[in-house]
Amino acid sequence: MNHKLLALYGLKFNPFSPELPVDAIYVPAKIESFCWRIEHAQIREGGFAMVHGDPGSGKSIVLRLLAERLKKLPDVTVGAINHPQSNLADFYRELGDVFGVPLRPSNRWGGFKALRARWLAHMESTRCRAVLLVDEAQEMTPQVLSELRLLASASFDSQSLLCIVMAGDARLIEKLRREEHRSDWDRYAHIEYNRLAQEEEGYVCNLCTFFVHFCVLLSCLHCGTCIVSAFV
């Protein structure tokens, strides 16, 4: 979309661009509440949280919003997994790269201890857990999901070393509801994006839908079409 067209409709950004700035995204009250809980509770207590919904419903946008907010907090380390479909060795390599821990995939026990020591040191010095964001988490293998759960807990499962926020579609739910991941499923604080979007009276996290209605309305005013059709 060129600058003249943006100026015609009074827009600063292209509302259809996937690179829409975070400050131009509408945040419904439920999403605001979820982010607040992560900022003020989850990073201090640790554990798992999850955003799930249909493809294209805005799960990744929620992670973008959350990442921007967490990066503004002092002494909070925020990392993201960019290759969730990795095997176990590559998953350790990526974790080491994200948290600045030199690892040797051939020595998994050494990597296990080094990562936990880094997270524990961060927790003791800042009183906050490091945060790991995982988009497209339904691509993670069952072995990686189990390993992540064991990595993030200590003291006979009474202490969480990490705050993990995952986003995924229905396939992630199916994986976590399997018998071998039943204990993982019980640990998650859930946010179902589709339901929340409906409860917000049709609002969506991205402003694109609003801008579509806005542009259609202006077109209707110009051509005399019924205005109501712009909001159907």
Side-chain angles (χ1 to χ4, degrees), residues 24 57 99 112 141 206 220:
S57 60
F99 292 103
F112 185 90
T141 65
N206 198 320
C220 292

Side-chain angles (χ1 to χ4, degrees), residues 107-121:
N107 184 4
R108 191 178 301 168
W109 170 239
F112 185 90
K113 290 194 299 181
L115 284 168
R116 287 160 60 92
R118 174 61 59 88
W119 298 334
L120 185 60

Side-chain angles (χ1 to χ4, degrees), residues 147-209:
E147 191 74 13
L148 182 58
R149 179 181 67 84
L150 294 173
L151 266 171
S153 64
S155 300
F156 301 102
D157 217 17
S158 65
Q159 183 182 41
S160 294
L161 303 179
L162 200 61
C163 173
I164 302 168
V165 184
M166 291 183 170
D169 59 25
R171 288 174 291 171
L172 177 61
I173 307 300
E174 293 174 2
K175 282 186 178 181
L176 293 174
R177 281 177 170 164
R178 292 175 186 171
E179 189 63 32
E180 63 267 26
H181 293 299
R182 182 68 62 180
S183 60
D184 298 353
W185 171 257
D186 295 337
R187 299 168 190 271
Y188 278 83
H190 303 274
I191 173 173
E192 185 176 353
Y193 192 83
N194 291 344
R195 177 176 56 80
L196 294 179
Q198 293 171 1
E199 290 179 357
E200 289 294 330
E201 300 179 355
Y203 288 117
V204 294
C205 188
N206 198 320
L207 277 179
C208 290
T209 299

Side-chain angles (χ1 to χ4, degrees), residues 3-13 211 214-215 218:
H3 293 290
K4 290 185 178 180
L5 192 57
L6 289 174
L8 176 63
Y9 293 110
L11 303 176
K12 292 183 178 180
F13 314 104
F211 284 133
F214 178 69
C215 294
L218 290 180

